[in-house]
């Protein structure tokens, strides 16, 4: 991606690197803006790695005030977890679900879907404060399709699964009160179908209850993905979720670096380095190398996203998915355009350049927008990782603004010199340290 700007070589070179071409290598001093970009990029990577280390540091407990269980796993959303003991001789499952309230008048629910990993069809136990007494109550509900469509209030009714016993307590004992952040423990003993130990678990929480009818839960990405499936006999859920979480983080890191940083950096390289005569065709190879590297990393991240979608049936992120497909298609078109790049003297060259600019900048914009959308999908909208990315991106934008202003100043100065030369105020031999037009360059973008 390029831009027609005729700027003096010396001034622009000084902005980019503070070094004379004849100076020895030991005297090279990078410009502060380049140092800032490098430091911001390293800071961004550090924050992501730190987040990677803490993502798996969440723990679960097999012990409560009244029971001890054999196994436990941390669930992927809402800081929830499950502890359980499975008795193979009679196919009985004892479990405790740990969840947190998000409102003093809210609700917390856990359930089992006998057929599929989705909310519809779940047999749930929901805990909330009794509207009359304020005490914690636990009632059974069946989430049929009408609940998802909000056609009617959710009413409590007996479950059609073999529920032997159930209860709920607040963490902290009898003196505990329901408040925002309060932890609730939902106990259940369920008789499972023999030889069927892979269970679909569904959990969620809401802001308030109307009478004894829990209202709809929030619809953020985390709330919509509060579903998991694991084998209560082997306890394979923790490994499966660690794999999903690892893929999610790798997907986010690769795409933030490729679509969100490298691709814009490649565009900036073409826009501002192509007019530096001292570089010759080097700017083109740098530009192509950065963009091809970005597309390669972005393709890997895109493939991981497709894989995660296949591993999470019923969980969809419509806007993030559509933006991802659009950015990938535009990136693929840009890469293929290199194979059909006409020579500088070809009559279709100007049309190819217009296409190259439009598709390239569109890809950059979609990539950056989708990176921010990805932070929201991952529930990292207020995280330090997002802050680090914003710092890197704002540094790059600041460099672009500085170079753009410098280019306009030089362009206006050169235009004034040309006007004075035409009027005869200065001789034709009095030339500034300008550079030739892009049409005289050996390689063009």
């Amino acid at each position: 991606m390029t831009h027609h700007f005729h700027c003096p070589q010396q001034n622009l070179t000084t902005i980019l690197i503070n070094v004379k071409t004849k100076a020895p290598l030991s005297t090279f001093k990078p410009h502060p803006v380049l140092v800032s970009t490098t430091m911001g990029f390293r800071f961004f990577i550090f924050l992501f790695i730190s987040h990677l280390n803490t993502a798996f540091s969440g723990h679960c407990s097999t012990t409560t005030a009244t029971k001890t269980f054999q196994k436990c796993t941390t669930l992927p959303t809402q800081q929830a977890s499950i502890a359980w003991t499975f008795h193979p001789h009679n196919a009985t499952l004892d479990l405790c679900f740990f969840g947190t309230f998000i409102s003093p008048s809210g609700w917390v629910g856990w359930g089992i879907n006998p057929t599929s990993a989705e909310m519809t069809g779940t047999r749930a136990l929901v805990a909330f404060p009794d509207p009359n007494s304020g005490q914690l109550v636990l009632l059974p509900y069946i989430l049929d399709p009408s609940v998802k469509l909000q056609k009617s209030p959710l009413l409590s009714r007996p479950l059609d699964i073999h529920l032997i016993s159930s209860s709920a307590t607040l963490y902290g004992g009898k003196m505990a009160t329901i408040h925002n952040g309060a932890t609730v423990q939902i106990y259940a003993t369920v008789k499972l179908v023999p030889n069927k130990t892979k269970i679909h678990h569904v959990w969620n929480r809401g802001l308030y209850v109307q009478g004894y009818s829990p209202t709809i839960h929030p619809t953020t990405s985390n709330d919509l993905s509060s579903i998991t499936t694991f084998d209560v006999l082997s306890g394979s859920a923790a490994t499966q979720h660690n794999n999903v979480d690892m893929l999610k983080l790798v997907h986010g890191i690769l795409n933030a670096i490729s679509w969100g940083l490298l691709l814009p950096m490649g565009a900036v390289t073409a826009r501002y380095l192509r007019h530096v005569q001292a570089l010759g065709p080097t700017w083109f190879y740098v530009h192509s190398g950065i963009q091809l590297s970005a597309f390669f990393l972005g393709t890997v991240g895109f493939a991981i996203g497709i894989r995660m979608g296949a591993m999470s049936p019923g969980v969809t992120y419509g806007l993030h998915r559509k933006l991802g497909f659009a950015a990938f298609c535009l990136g693929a078109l840009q890469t293929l355009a290199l194979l059909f790049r006409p020579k500088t003297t070809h009559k279709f060259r100007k049309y190819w350049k217009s296409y190259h600019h439009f598709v390239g900048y569109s890809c950059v914009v979609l990539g950056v927008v989708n990176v921010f959308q990805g932070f929201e999908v991952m529930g990292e909208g207020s995280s330090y990782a997002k802050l680090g990315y914003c710092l890197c991106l704002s540094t790059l934008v600041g460099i672009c603004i500085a170079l753009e202003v410098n280019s306009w100043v030089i362009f206006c100065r050169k235009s004034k010199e040309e006007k004075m030369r035409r009027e005869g105020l200065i001789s034709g031999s009095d030339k500034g340290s300008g550079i030739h037009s892009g049409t005289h360059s050996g390689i063009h973008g």
Side-chain angles (χ1 to χ4, degrees):
M1 288 160 284
T2 60
H3 183 77
H4 289 290
F5 243 126
H6 312 311
C7 316
Q9 171 188 348
Q10 183 179 357
N11 292 358
L12 183 56
T13 306
T14 305
I15 290 292
L16 295 172
I17 51 175
N18 187 20
V19 62
K20 296 182 180 180
T21 56
K22 295 183 180 179
L25 184 61
S26 59
T27 62
F28 177 81
K29 295 181 180 181
H31 194 272
V33 294
L34 294 181
V35 176
S36 301
T37 304
T38 305
M39 293 179 61
F41 185 77
R42 291 177 179 175
F43 180 60
F44 170 67
I45 298 299
F46 169 77
L47 290 175
F48 253 120
I49 293 176
S50 300
H51 182 70
L52 180 66
N53 292 331
T54 58
F56 302 102
S57 62
H59 63 279
C60 58
S61 175
T62 57
T63 303
T64 67
T66 57
K67 283 188 177 183
T68 299
F69 300 90
Q70 293 180 350
K71 299 177 181 178
C72 70
T73 182
T74 301
L75 299 176
T77 63
Q78 301 179 353
Q79 297 87 42
S81 62
I82 290 181
W84 77 93
T85 298
F86 178 66
H87 307 281
H89 64 280
N90 59 3
T92 302
L93 176 66
D94 288 323
L95 65 83
C96 178
F97 169 80
F98 300 84
T100 55
F101 283 93
I102 56 174
S103 168
S105 58
W107 57 267
V108 176
W110 163 88
I112 292 176
N113 192 319
T115 57
S116 60
E118 60 179 338
M119 184 191 77
T120 303
T122 297
R123 276 61 175 169
L125 297 172
V126 181
F128 55 88
D130 188 291
N132 299 317
S133 65
Q135 298 298 314
L136 184 69
V137 296
L138 183 71
L139 295 179
Y141 296 86
I142 298 178
L143 308 183
D144 54 34
S146 64
V147 175
K148 187 174 183 179
L149 298 175
Q150 304 182 52
K151 291 183 177 180
S152 59
L154 179 61
L155 301 178
S156 176
R157 52 176 165 162
L159 304 182
D160 54 1
I161 59 175
H162 195 169
L163 180 64
I164 298 174
S165 64
S166 63
S167 62
T169 61
L170 288 173
Y171 180 78
K174 295 182 179 180
M175 300 301 294
T177 58
I178 300 176
H179 59 274
N180 184 10
T183 299
V184 62
Q185 300 168 349
I186 299 177
Y187 296 87
T189 301
V190 184
K191 178 80 172 180
L192 301 181
V193 178
N195 301 321
K196 187 177 181 181
T197 57
K198 186 173 289 187
I199 307 300
H200 306 296
H201 298 266
V202 181
W203 66 98
N204 226 307
R205 55 194 181 181
L207 290 170
Y208 58 95
V209 178
Q210 291 181 341
Y212 289 90
S213 299
T215 59
I216 186 172
H217 57 75
T219 56
T220 65
S221 59
N222 279 338
D223 296 302
L224 294 177
S225 59
S226 297
I227 303 169
T228 189
T229 302
F230 62 83
D231 194 315
V232 295
L233 179 60
S234 63
S236 59
T239 301
Q240 178 182 357
H241 284 303
N242 282 345
N243 290 338
V244 172
D245 289 342
M246 176 65 79
L247 287 177
K248 184 183 294 185
L249 284 169
V250 173
H251 168 77
I253 292 172
L254 288 179
N255 287 338
I257 293 175
S258 58
W259 302 104
L261 289 176
L262 288 180
L263 211 65
M265 288 173 62
V268 171
T269 300
R271 182 176 178 86
Y272 298 109
L273 293 188
R274 69 184 303 267
H275 300 293
V276 182
Q277 274 190 332
L279 295 177
T282 304
W283 73 266
F284 174 78
Y285 300 116
V286 173
H287 167 67
S288 301
I290 293 176
Q291 301 301 68
L292 289 175
S293 299
F295 182 69
F296 173 76
L297 293 177
T299 300
V300 176
F302 177 78
I304 293 176
I306 297 298
R307 174 58 180 165
M308 287 194 302
M311 294 173 64
S312 307
V315 181
T316 57
Y317 305 108
L319 179 59
H320 185 59
R321 184 183 180 91
K322 292 174 183 176
L323 289 175
F325 270 101
F328 176 77
C329 291
L330 290 177
L333 287 175
Q334 278 291 78
T335 305
L336 291 175
L338 291 175
L339 303 177
F340 305 99
R341 183 167 169 266
K343 296 181 179 180
T344 56
T345 56
H346 199 282
K347 63 179 180 179
F348 291 122
R349 174 72 172 194
K350 60 180 180 180
Y351 302 111
W352 182 89
K353 291 180 68 174
S354 298
Y355 155 84
H356 187 61
H357 290 170
F358 176 77
V359 175
Y361 285 121
S362 299
C363 185
V364 169
V365 172
L366 285 178
V368 172
V369 171
N370 206 29
V371 168
F372 283 103
Q373 182 65 23
F375 279 114
E376 300 301 323
V377 165
M378 294 178 66
E380 303 296 328
S382 302
S383 66
Y384 286 111
K386 182 179 179 181
L387 175 62
Y389 174 73
C390 291
L391 289 175
C392 292
L393 191 62
S394 59
T395 301
L396 186 61
V397 171
I399 292 174
C400 291
I401 293 175
L403 293 176
E404 191 71 23
V405 170
N406 180 76
S407 299
W408 276 103
V409 169
I410 295 174
F411 175 77
C412 294
R413 183 185 304 165
K414 185 176 180 181
S415 299
K416 184 177 180 180
E417 290 178 356
E418 291 291 340
K419 182 179 179 181
M420 294 174 65
R421 187 176 295 111
R422 288 194 303 267
E423 295 175 352
L425 298 179
I426 59 176
S427 63
S429 60
D430 295 336
K431 295 182 180 180
S433 57
I435 64 172
H436 297 289
S437 173
T439 57
H440 296 154
S441 300
I443 298 180
H444 305 270

